[in-house]
Amino acid sequence: MVNSLRPVLFLTLLVSLFISISAQTCTTYVFPRDNNQVNTDFTSCNDLPFLNSIIHWKYDSSTGRLNLAYRHTDIDSDRWIAWAINPTGIGMVGCQALVAYQKDGQMLAYTSPIPSYRTSLAQGDLSFKVSALSSSFRNREMTIFATIQLPINTSVINHVWQEGPVVNGKPGMHAMTAANRQSIGSLDLLSGNQSKSSGGGVAVDSRTKLKNVHGVLNVVAWGIMMPVGAIAARYLKVFNSMGAAWFYIHITTQTSAYIVGIAGWATGLVLGSKSPGIQLNAHKNIGITLFVLATLQVFALGLRPKPDHKYRFYWNIYHRLTGYVVIVLSVVNIFKGFDILEPEKKWKNLYIGALIGLAVVAVLLEAFTWYVVLKRKKAAGKSNHESNGHTGAINGNTFGGSTESVV
């Protein structure tokens, strides 16, 4: 009888164990209590879909007060964790982050605004008030506790969570695995509903679309059309058959690039107004410089002296130098834009390929230009030599004839 019951008892034990393991969700978790622990009276929680992460919270919509705990399980002590709210869009740029890691055997928690993709998790003030910030690490589980003051009646937040290595006592660059890239979504603080980002972790909102438009306009205008216009001005004039056509091609290309560039610059201003607290000073300052220099170039056309004017030589130096500076700064700023927006690698590679193509064309045309110029100089020198020799022969014959006459 006992032997016959053994399979049943074993099966019952397995089922009970399975039920017990399955029930270990965020709703059954009990926070350890200690003397330094903050309030853990949370009313809602969510098991986040990536990176072994869980978030617990209690939210009062009438006051905007959000008490939360962000937990990261199965993690070593030489790692850092971060949870962030993005009040201006979806994704990493613009995030207001809470960061924690172990330093010198003690847990350290602090706030860190994230203005760009390449920004380290440096300590700084957030765009909203944070209090009761602390962290803990026990049993390979790292947790951040905080109280956040959100705008009243904010029910849905865009949030990002992440983890990475501690390098030389500071948070290092996190990995770029699918899980790391997909750790993004929106969370309804009242209902607890969570939506994940789509398209392999790349969520697109109106602000992201505007950034994409900004990038495309500026790459086309400053990064491609401007160099093409400069190439036309320098090399097409060597072809006699072109006549003055090179000039009109140059003017049309550069003017079109300037107009498209204004549109790209304007979208940058709109992005700046929609991204309070995000400082991209280098990218912004180079963009302003480009706009000013390009505007001066446009107005300089109306002040262009005639070819025989004594100041035309100096105007040419100014015009060419400013043009080359604009092109160099444009390329530099476009690559800064790639670092900020961080699109798929193929787009950056495509632009690099376009630059290489333009450079090859410029080198070939430069070689051909020098070949034509040297050939024309040689032909002109030969023509002058033959002309001088012919004149000398005529004079010699006249003198000889005259001599012969005298004799």
Side-chain angles (χ1 to χ4, degrees), residues 200-390:
V202 182
V204 179
D205 60 355
S206 59
R207 183 169 170 269
T208 301
K209 291 179 180 178
L210 187 61
K211 288 193 292 185
N212 292 336
V213 171
H214 172 72
V216 170
L217 289 175
N218 284 302
V219 167
V220 171
W222 304 102
I224 296 178
M225 295 180 71
M226 283 287 183
V228 168
I231 289 173
R234 177 166 177 80
Y235 301 116
L236 293 186
K237 67 178 68 176
V238 76
F239 298 96
N240 291 330
S241 59
M242 290 295 296
W246 69 266
F247 175 75
Y248 297 108
I249 293 174
H250 173 67
I251 293 298
T252 301
T253 305
Q254 300 300 73
T255 302
S256 301
Y258 178 71
I259 293 172
V260 176
I262 288 178
W265 188 68
T267 58
L269 295 179
V270 175
L271 278 170
S273 66
K274 289 186 176 183
S275 309
I278 299 179
Q279 299 296 324
L280 304 172
N281 292 327
H283 185 67
K284 179 179 71 175
N285 292 337
I286 293 176
I288 293 173
T289 303
L290 284 172
F291 176 74
V292 171
L293 292 177
T295 302
L296 290 176
Q297 286 285 73
V298 171
F299 282 107
L301 289 175
L303 302 175
R304 184 167 60 104
K306 293 183 178 180
D308 57 349
H309 195 282
K310 63 180 181 179
Y311 292 125
R312 179 59 179 263
F313 172 77
Y314 302 104
W315 185 91
N316 286 340
I317 293 177
Y318 152 78
H319 183 67
R320 291 169 183 171
L321 180 61
T322 304
Y324 292 139
V325 169
V326 166
I327 291 173
V328 172
L329 289 179
S330 297
V331 173
V332 170
N333 216 28
I334 285 170
F335 280 104
K336 285 188 175 293
F338 279 125
D339 290 339
I340 294 168
L341 187 57
E342 206 171 49
E344 292 183 38
K345 194 173 181 179
K346 65 180 181 181
W347 298 112
K348 186 175 182 178
N349 291 338
L350 186 63
Y351 179 63
I352 292 174
L355 282 183
I356 293 174
L358 289 173
V360 170
V361 170
V363 169
L364 293 176
L365 288 175
E366 183 75 21
F368 180 75
T369 298
W370 278 103
Y371 168 76
V372 172
V373 169
L374 293 176
K375 184 177 179 181
R376 287 175 182 173
K377 283 186 176 181
K378 184 178 180 180
K382 184 177 180 181
S383 176
N384 290 334
H385 177 73
E386 290 177 350
S387 176
N388 291 334
H390 181 64

Side-chain angles (χ1 to χ4, degrees), residues 65-201:
R65 183 183 177 91
L66 173 66
N67 292 325
L68 70 90
Y70 167 69
R71 296 166 46 218
H72 193 112
T73 63
D74 194 24
I75 191 170
D76 295 325
S77 60
D78 59 350
R79 309 287 289 181
W80 58 263
I81 64 170
W83 181 85
I85 293 176
N86 192 331
T88 61
I90 296 175
M92 179 176 173
V93 174
C95 276
Q96 308 294 296
L98 309 177
V99 185
Y101 67 99
Q102 194 173 88
K103 184 176 183 180
D104 299 329
Q106 300 292 324
M107 285 300 298
L108 173 65
Y110 63 92
T111 58
S112 177
I114 305 176
S116 70
Y117 284 103
R118 300 299 179 183
T119 301
S120 60
L121 292 173
Q123 188 168 351
D125 295 331
L126 304 186
S127 60
F128 44 75
K129 184 178 179 180
V130 178
S131 59
L133 179 60
S134 65
S135 59
S136 66
F137 178 73
R138 55 168 59 88
N139 299 325
R140 302 193 74 242
E141 179 174 296
M142 200 172 291
T143 308
I144 299 175
F145 299 90
T147 298
I148 296 174
Q149 184 61 52
L150 297 174
I152 296 176
N153 295 322
T154 299
S155 60
V156 179
I157 59 173
N158 297 319
H159 68 142
V160 178
W161 59 99
Q162 198 57 256
E163 64 92 18
V166 175
V167 181
N168 297 325
K170 295 181 180 180
M173 180 68 181
H174 66 76
M176 296 301 291
T177 66
N180 290 96
R181 296 181 69 89
Q182 293 173 4
S183 297
I184 174 177
S186 62
L187 178 66
D188 191 321
L189 297 173
L190 297 180
S191 68
N193 293 331
Q194 177 174 240
S195 61
K196 294 183 290 184
S197 62
S198 59

Side-chain angles (χ1 to χ4, degrees), residues 39 41-44 56-60 65-68:
N39 178 28
D41 182 22
F42 303 113
T43 58
S44 304
H56 303 254
W57 76 91
K58 181 178 182 180
Y59 178 60
D60 186 348
R65 183 183 177 91
L66 173 66
N67 292 325
L68 70 90

